Amino acid sequence: MDARFERILILGNSGSGKSWLAGRLSALLGCRPVDLDAIHWEPGGYDRPREKDDATATVRREAEGSKWVIEGVYGWLAAEVVQRATLMVWLDLPVADCLAAVERRGPRGGATAASFAALLAWTAAYPDRRTSSSRSGHGRLFDAFPAGRHRLRSRFDVERWLDGVAHDVAS
């Protein structure tokens, strides 16, 4: 297998398609996708974040493997594994597209009406936040990444890029 596809880190806003892309890439590459939501939050919902030290240790363990696809919005967790990644993909889609996707999929994972409303507000604020889990935070990680990187700005770009990966992996 092409070494650039060994350890892929996918960043993006909620609703950008990170989990969808990670699932497709993992199937192509024969590995399990890792969702940073499952690391950031305690099991059972989105109302209790995991202790930061526990989340950091967990994501570092996940990144010890020789082949992985890790995806998420949490820039502070992505920063813990970025040095092991061989490829970074930033799904920098329009906020309206991300909001529509979140609304389409609806609440999940034990989300309450209040936590779903908070997720919609969080998604809408992606370009304005100044945290590691924002457009500017993802941009800083992306700009500093020394290996292969792809910034995809539309669903069409994502599908076209994935088609190229599938072709490269099959060759």
Side-chain angles (χ1 to χ4, degrees), residues 53-105:
D53 290 344
D54 292 342
T56 300
T58 300
V59 76
R60 286 179 180 168
R61 271 193 310 277
E62 292 287 354
E64 288 173 358
S66 62
K67 190 172 17 170
W68 45 259
V69 177
I70 296 176
E71 61 86 5
V73 68
Y74 303 104
W76 65 276
L77 281 171
E80 295 294 327
V81 301
V82 71
Q83 72 282 357
R84 295 249 323 123
T86 57
L87 181 70
M88 181 184 288
V89 180
W90 179 15
L91 303 183
D92 190 17
L93 277 63
V95 169
D97 292 357
C98 297
L99 280 167
V102 170
E103 288 174 347
R104 229 179 356 265
R105 75 180 184 214

Side-chain angles (χ1 to χ4, degrees), residues 108-122:
R108 43 182 220 184
T112 63
S115 64
F116 186 65
L119 174 61
L120 290 171
W122 163 267

Side-chain angles (χ1 to χ4, degrees), residues 8 11 16 52 58 60 73 85 92 103 110 114 122 128 134 156 160:
I8 301 172
L11 299 172
S16 63
K52 188 171 184 169
T58 300
R60 286 179 180 168
V73 68
D92 190 17
E103 288 174 347
W122 163 267
D128 302 318
S134 66
F156 176 79
R160 185 176 55 193

